[in-house]
Amino acid sequence: MLDVTTRSGGTDTAAPPAASTGLAHATALPAGAVPLRPAFAVRCARALLSPWARFALLVALLVGAGAAVLLFEPQRLLREGWPPQLGGLLAALVFAAAYGLVTVAFVPRPLLNLAAGALFGSQLGIATAVAGSVIGAAIAFGLGRALGQDALRPLLRGRLLTTVDGQFSRHGFRSMLAVRLFPGVPFWAANYCASVSRMGWFPFLLATALGSIPNTAAYVVAGARASTPTSPVFLIALACIAVPGVAGAVVAWRKRHHFRGGPAAKDGTGAGPGVAAVCATADDSQR
């Protein structure tokens, strides 16, 4: 059978299928339009979802939350009291949710615990403050785990950081319980340090709930009895606040050789003051 070129006497040529397909696609586009490149969209998506982009988002969220707290001034609760339209259990639930949100923005928990005692009394105030502590810890842990862990874990170098990360990752519950009981560790710092480690959700939240009770109860009772500063209950609450602080200072002083590279630090069990010293103390108590 003769092909097209033979039948036409050698003057006609058949267009390749690929060229004709491309021509048809080109004619289908509007004049002056540029075809989309899927590779560019993929690169943009990867850039937006990269670890450092998510970490930048976390920093922006925390800065925005801190600015909102400065504008709201939560300390007004101690001065002006709770809004009159909210009362009873609903007020406690709203306060617990607000408690959790503002702790993410670095508001000191002692201020919130005093407010809980002044607004709701001892029993309901303790329950509300502990619930708010767990809510705030869960929010901070989730934000740090989703937005900061991938970017910060490669930076965990050096003896101190690797020791703290190892304690949180291998002994999550008892390490976090010791940190919550230790009065010198900021609440927000423990939350974000734990989120960078490989600690699980359940040990973190359970240790937070149990470890926050003693210190929280002392502040709440002090806030509830602030109108009678000479009462025995108020004085006992103050003692419960002061004694753990002194004990924590003593523990940090005794564990100072771990941070300075003493004998205990050379075998990989040492840690510095603060979080690492508390973790080392927890391990010593378990042996």
Side-chain angles (χ1 to χ4, degrees):
M1 180 180 296
L2 297 176
D3 56 9
V4 178
T5 304
T6 305
R7 291 196 305 268
S8 60
T11 58
D12 295 337
T13 57
S20 60
T21 304
L23 181 61
H25 178 71
T27 56
L29 291 175
V34 179
L36 293 177
R37 297 182 179 179
F40 177 75
V42 172
R43 287 197 298 268
C44 291
R46 289 178 179 176
L48 293 176
L49 297 178
S50 64
W52 284 107
R54 286 181 282 140
F55 180 71
L57 176 60
L58 174 62
V59 173
L61 290 175
L62 295 181
V63 171
V69 167
L70 292 177
L71 294 176
F72 176 70
E73 296 180 355
Q75 63 270 18
R76 291 186 303 173
L77 292 175
L78 293 175
R79 183 176 67 250
E80 302 174 2
W82 193 251
Q85 59 270 24
L86 293 177
L89 184 59
L90 177 60
L93 294 176
V94 174
F95 183 86
Y99 185 115
L101 291 176
V102 297
T103 54
V104 177
F106 317 119
V107 174
R109 289 179 61 249
L111 175 66
L112 300 172
N113 294 333
L114 291 173
L119 294 174
F120 304 108
S122 298
Q123 296 181 356
L124 184 58
I126 292 173
T128 302
V130 172
S133 299
V134 175
I135 293 173
I139 295 175
F141 189 84
L143 288 175
R145 180 62 56 88
L147 302 178
Q149 187 186 45
D150 293 339
L152 297 180
R153 279 203 65 82
L155 303 180
L156 296 179
R157 301 172 183 175
R159 178 177 297 168
L160 175 60
L161 294 178
T162 54
T163 299
V164 174
D165 177 63
Q167 290 288 343
F168 278 161
S169 299
R170 294 191 300 269
H171 313 291
F173 174 77
R174 69 186 188 189
S175 296
M176 182 52 60
L177 182 64
V179 167
R180 296 306 188 194
L181 293 173
F182 190 80
V185 181
F187 184 74
W188 60 268
N191 294 335
Y192 291 113
C193 287
S195 68
V196 176
S197 71
R198 293 188 174 91
M199 183 186 302
W201 277 87
F202 181 74
F204 172 77
L205 295 178
L206 181 60
T208 298
L210 297 178
S212 300
I213 292 176
N215 184 265
T216 300
Y219 277 98
V220 170
V221 172
R225 299 303 181 95
S227 58
T228 57
T230 59
S231 63
V233 176
F234 182 80
L235 296 177
I236 292 174
L238 288 183
C240 293
I241 294 173
V243 170
V246 175
V250 172
V251 170
W253 174 259
R254 294 184 60 183
K255 294 295 180 180
R256 67 189 185 280
H257 62 277
H258 289 281
F259 179 70
R260 294 177 179 176
K266 294 180 180 179
D267 60 358
T269 59
V275 176
V278 174
C279 295
T281 305
D283 282 346
D284 294 339
S285 64
Q286 295 290 334
R287 293 192 180 102

